[in-house]
Amino acid sequence: MKILHLDSNHPLLVAQLATLGFQNTEDFTSPKEEIEKFIAQYDGLIVRSRFPIDAAFLGKAKKLKFIGRVGAGLENIDTDIAEQLGIKLFNAPEGNRNAVGEHALGMILSLFNKLNAANSSVRSGKWQREAHRGIELDGRTVGIIGYGNMGKAFAKKLRGFDVEVICYDIKQNVENADAKQVSLHELFEKTEILSLHTPQTPATIGMINTEFINQFKKSFWLINTARGKSVVTADLVSALKNGKILGAGLDVLEYEKTSFEDLFQTKEEIPKSFAELLSLPNVLLSPHVAGWTIESKEKLAQTIVDKIKNEFC
């Protein structure tokens, strides 16, 4: 079987697939239109997020038996068409769930202890202890929306804290020893820290908006290491300004391109709501790297190899 790799990944991916007898071709630069001309000769495709794998592309991939996505989400692939064509889809949320859990916890602790502001203050020659007095996580209720691989990994990281962990998921009976599954009503009633761990779907795009935010009984902290389009930035900014949201840790942003590689080419493109978000001191940002560790790079690749091996060897 011949496999085309569209993005660079950990070298073990190609090495192990070759050992298993697969023929590997790497093409990290050809535009989509060029790849469409020869995709018909390949049985497998390995991608990250370089360009959308849409119906037109899949229609030209006459021999394609599987697509391996070295990451968690599949929103860049037309999954309905792939299913109709009998193409197997492999993703790897098992590979970076631990990294995402650690990152989400790190964002909470950094926000609670004002670490970014304190670091900048000391570097500027100031020694303002009272201004950087923090708050503690113990005794609070953490609400998780989406209790799959990522949500469970985050809940596991909270074991060492004296917190109540509750979760809401559209699937039934997903709770485990680390979190109690509750209704949305109970989530709204009790949550003090909200962490998102949902995939990007039509149901989750724009999910965190003013109407949703205002249903929470208490003011709360928001952590998003899932997908940027789940949060309406303008509504988040309003909630941060009026105190309904006390602070936000955002690894993902509404304005990300589908490749996840950049935001804006020029300053003129920056929306007003995003400029406002950047000015707020109680917001912590990172460039979609929650699942992006040295260890996860290897684990993601290994997960894809193992799934291909289990299916085709």
Side-chain angles (χ1 to χ4, degrees):
M1 293 173 67
K2 298 174 67 176
I3 301 177
L4 178 63
H5 299 252
L6 293 183
D7 298 278
S8 62
N9 289 294
H10 194 284
L12 75 79
L13 188 56
V14 169
Q16 291 191 23
L17 288 172
T19 300
L20 291 170
F22 295 95
Q23 297 179 39
N24 297 280
T25 301
E26 297 175 313
D27 189 332
F28 306 152
T29 58
S30 294
K32 182 180 179 182
E33 295 73 18
E34 286 299 312
I35 292 171
E36 286 180 343
K37 295 177 182 178
F38 56 79
I39 189 59
Q41 63 185 285
Y42 289 96
D43 304 283
L45 185 66
I46 303 293
V47 302
R48 284 208 320 265
S49 304
R50 199 168 120 208
F51 55 71
I53 308 299
D54 54 22
F57 184 93
L58 292 172
K60 295 178 172 64
K62 302 298 184 183
K63 291 176 62 180
L64 203 61
K65 297 176 179 64
F66 71 86
I67 301 172
R69 202 264 156 159
V70 188
L74 292 171
E75 65 268 22
N76 248 21
I77 301 171
D78 191 324
T79 56
D80 291 335
I81 296 297
E83 183 178 354
Q84 290 175 25
L85 295 173
I87 299 169
K88 297 280 186 180
L89 299 178
F90 305 122
N91 60 337
E94 305 91 338
N96 62 357
R97 60 189 175 189
N98 182 71
V100 170
E102 290 189 4
H103 196 96
L105 178 57
M107 283 190 140
I108 292 172
L109 296 177
S110 182
L111 285 166
F112 276 28
N113 292 283
K114 303 180 181 178
L115 294 183
N116 271 20
N119 175 67
S120 298
S121 178
V122 174
R123 288 176 181 273
S124 66
K126 299 174 184 177
W127 194 257
Q128 299 175 322
R129 297 181 67 215
E130 189 59 40
H132 298 107
R133 188 184 290 274
I135 60 175
E136 297 180 17
L137 181 54
D138 273 19
R140 301 180 186 274
T141 299
V142 181
I144 298 173
I145 297 182
Y147 206 61
N149 279 282
M150 306 304 172
K152 286 183 171 70
F154 173 56
K156 183 179 179 181
K157 300 302 173 189
L158 294 168
R159 285 180 186 173
F161 296 87
D162 183 17
V163 294
E164 180 182 7
V165 184
I166 57 178
C167 65
Y168 173 78
D169 194 286
I170 58 172
K171 296 180 181 178
Q172 299 298 312
N173 302 317
V174 299
E175 69 177 34
N176 60 7
D178 298 322
K180 175 188 174 185
Q181 189 167 6
V182 299
S183 64
L184 263 181
H185 175 75
E186 187 170 348
L187 188 92
F188 290 141
E189 284 287 311
K190 300 175 73 172
T191 296
E192 296 171 271
I193 301 127
L194 179 68
S195 189
L196 305 181
H197 298 279
T198 49
Q200 182 172 304
T201 68
T204 63
I205 293 175
M207 174 176 66
I208 308 300
N209 55 24
T210 296
E211 180 183 1
F212 190 90
I213 291 167
N214 287 339
Q215 292 183 75
F216 285 83
K217 182 178 179 181
K218 305 173 183 177
S219 293
F220 64 97
W221 300 77
L222 175 67
I223 305 296
N224 187 12
T225 54
R227 286 293 183 261
K229 287 182 172 55
S230 294
V231 178
V232 179
T233 305
D235 293 355
L236 170 61
V237 169
S238 295
L240 285 162
K241 286 182 174 180
N242 67 32
K244 186 63 181 180
I245 293 181
L246 300 169
L250 308 173
D251 180 56
V252 290
L253 293 165
E254 180 182 3
Y255 312 104
E256 289 181 56
K257 305 296 190 294
T258 55
S259 66
F260 305 136
E261 294 301 324
D262 55 24
L263 284 174
F264 308 108
Q265 298 299 319
T266 66
K267 289 185 177 180
E268 288 73 23
E269 294 181 25
I270 299 177
K272 179 184 176 182
S273 56
F274 184 53
E276 288 184 286
L277 186 75
L278 295 177
S279 71
L280 297 174
N282 55 341
V283 174
L284 180 63
L285 302 168
S286 57
H288 203 135
V289 292
W292 203 257
T293 62
I294 300 298
E295 294 83 359
S296 72
K297 184 176 183 179
E298 180 174 350
K299 287 188 282 188
L300 285 165
Q302 189 63 61
T303 300
I304 293 298
V305 170
D306 292 344
K307 290 184 177 183
I308 293 172
K309 180 181 178 181
N310 290 339
E311 183 69 28
F312 293 102
C313 297

